[in-house]
Amino acid sequence: MPTPRGLRRSSPITILLATILTVGFLVFIFSSDSNTTLSKAEARARAKGAASHPLSPPTSPFRKLTQKPNGQRTPPPVVTYQLNNLTTSATPAANRETVLILTPLARFYPEYWANLLSLSYPHELIALGFITPKTREGNAATAALQAAIAATQSGPIRKRFASITILRQDFEPPLASQDEAERHKMANQKARRASMARARNSLLFTTLGPATAWVLWLDGDIVETPASLVDDLASHDKPIIVANCFQRFVDEKTRRPAERPYDFNSWQDSAVAQELAAKMAKDEILLEGYAEMATWRSLMAKNAVDGGDPRHEMRLDGVGGTALLVKAEVHRDGAMFPPFAFYHLIETEGFAKMARRLGWESWGLPNYRVYHYNE
């Protein structure tokens, strides 16, 4: 019997490759991927938190409007939120508490996004909010951020976040450059930090929803934190708590990797600083980390102990915003970031003062480190 023409033209290698491809395709179709499938309980939890109409708070994910059989859309319902039932506890994941992570973003660092994705807190309980400036750098950061979001939100389900909001600033930034040296010039601080305060307030007021339990302020140049950052900070059950921000670098003398403190805005007040403030005009502000204005405050950055207990707490009068966890009720009470001199303080330090006036205390973890990008 003659061999069919198709088989005469097919070599053994071709048949082998076809067999392998067929088997691989069948395995792909019938196997379940743990990263892309959810249990029924997880699916219900995600559906429960989803927005049912466009008027839902922006911190809820969007679901399309339902339609009647005649094609007309159903009207959005009136939603009642019981804020008294909203918990902020030391075990937020176990209590299914939602976290809003807010980031003012002037530049996009892939390391920041990779670190964000590595957070172990359930991503379906995390809403993200970003605000970018109206500059060329801001445009580039927005484009890179949107690309990263598209990849994440179309990837494995457990990596996807509940919702993501991007805002563009509606005011001009005071500095043309975001280079580190320019940002930290003493002469630029009041205008720069007033602009930062306005950006933070715009982001906060736009994205804070009635279901938000915690707000984590995470700067866009924080590129390394423990994966358990949210759980670790929340476990102290403080209304305001901040990690200690360091920076990795290569020591020029030893040519070995080293670390140095970076954020000096978390501190305990001093009598010297209070005396300086008493002599200032009402619109002047105190600044930390400058030899020209020695305040002799006790800086959390200088209280870090290598190998020290990461759970050690210290009470603070001023806080930085690099990795700052705030109970949402503190913001709801009215604590925001003053873009003006508030008791001679501004932005995050002014926020701590305002919160204190409202009855909320601030705390820091000197031995719990997060790391800033090294420019």
Side-chain angles (χ1 to χ4, degrees):
M1 181 176 180
T3 303
R5 188 193 309 182
L7 290 181
R8 286 203 305 267
R9 292 183 178 179
S10 301
S11 67
I13 295 177
T14 302
I15 295 173
L16 177 62
L17 289 174
T19 303
I20 292 173
L21 288 173
T22 302
V23 172
F25 178 76
L26 292 174
V27 169
F28 173 78
I29 290 296
F30 293 106
S31 65
S32 61
D33 182 359
S34 61
N35 287 327
T36 57
T37 58
L38 294 176
S39 67
K40 290 183 179 180
E42 289 173 312
R44 283 196 301 269
R46 284 180 177 271
K48 184 179 178 181
S52 58
H53 56 86
L55 298 182
S56 292
T59 46
S60 294
F62 176 75
R63 280 209 313 260
K64 291 183 179 180
L65 285 169
T66 56
Q67 291 186 345
K68 294 180 180 179
N70 61 6
Q72 293 183 349
R73 290 184 174 183
T74 57
V78 175
V79 182
T80 301
Y81 295 93
Q82 298 292 344
L83 292 182
N84 288 331
N85 297 336
L86 193 64
T87 64
T88 48
S89 65
T91 55
N95 291 320
R96 306 292 295 174
E97 295 168 2
T98 57
V99 178
L100 175 62
I101 300 181
L102 298 180
T103 298
L105 194 76
R107 289 179 176 176
F108 179 82
Y109 294 107
E111 299 91 338
Y112 160 85
W113 190 257
N115 183 75
L116 194 65
L117 291 179
S118 72
L119 293 179
S120 59
Y121 199 79
H123 284 201
E124 71 269 18
L125 297 177
I126 296 177
L128 304 179
F130 301 91
I131 187 167
T132 59
K134 294 194 304 178
T135 62
R136 182 175 298 177
E137 285 183 320
N139 293 340
T142 304
L145 174 63
Q146 289 173 330
I149 290 171
T152 297
Q153 297 299 87
S154 61
I157 293 177
R158 283 191 174 86
K159 289 290 185 181
R160 301 178 194 175
F161 297 99
S163 69
I164 302 177
T165 303
I166 302 176
L167 305 180
R168 298 304 302 271
Q169 287 180 192
D170 57 354
F171 55 90
E172 298 295 331
L175 303 181
S177 172
Q178 285 296 318
D179 289 339
E180 190 171 19
E182 191 69 18
R183 291 201 315 269
H184 291 290
K185 284 182 180 178
M186 186 174 178
N188 292 336
Q189 290 313 293
K190 185 176 181 182
R192 183 185 76 85
R193 297 195 65 189
S195 178
M196 279 293 300
R198 291 178 66 190
R200 289 186 188 276
N201 290 334
S202 295
L203 186 55
L204 174 67
F205 299 154
T206 305
T207 58
L208 184 67
T212 305
W214 299 88
V215 178
L216 174 63
W217 293 95
L218 190 66
D219 276 1
D221 34 27
I222 297 300
V223 295
E224 182 184 346
T225 71
S228 53
L229 175 68
V230 175
D231 299 276
D232 292 345
L233 296 183
S235 68
H236 292 265
D237 200 18
K238 301 296 185 184
I240 303 166
I241 192 162
V242 63
N244 208 353
C245 183
F246 271 60
Q247 188 179 57
R248 297 190 190 276
F249 72 106
V250 176
D251 192 300
E252 293 182 356
K253 295 180 180 179
T254 64
R255 296 188 177 182
R256 293 181 177 179
E259 298 179 10
R260 58 192 171 201
Y262 187 86
D263 187 0
F264 299 106
N265 293 331
S266 298
W267 40 261
Q268 292 176 339
D269 212 355
S270 68
V272 172
Q274 293 175 13
E275 290 173 6
L276 286 173
K279 299 174 183 177
M280 285 182 163
K282 66 177 183 178
D283 291 331
E284 291 182 310
I285 61 171
L286 288 165
L287 298 170
E288 203 52 66
Y290 297 91
E292 305 94 313
M293 191 180 287
T295 63
W296 298 101
R297 290 165 170 159
S298 179
L299 306 180
M300 185 171 77
K302 301 295 186 181
N303 279 271
V305 177
D306 291 337
D309 180 6
R311 293 193 60 80
H312 173 65
E313 303 169 351
M314 65 180 291
R315 195 185 304 268
L316 297 175
D317 297 300
V319 296
T322 51
L324 174 69
L325 186 68
V326 182
K327 290 188 176 184
E329 60 186 310
V330 176
H331 285 311
R332 290 193 184 98
D333 273 1
M336 53 82 161
F337 301 90
F340 49 84
F342 183 76
Y343 290 86
H344 304 289
L345 303 172
I346 200 168
E347 204 220 345
T348 57
E349 294 161 294
F351 160 73
K353 182 68 172 180
M354 189 175 293
R356 188 70 188 91
R357 294 284 295 168
L358 290 166
W360 302 103
E361 291 185 335
S362 299
W363 297 81
L365 302 176
N367 300 322
Y368 188 95
R369 299 185 183 185
V370 299
Y371 293 92
H372 192 280
Y373 183 83
N374 187 358
E375 299 182 32

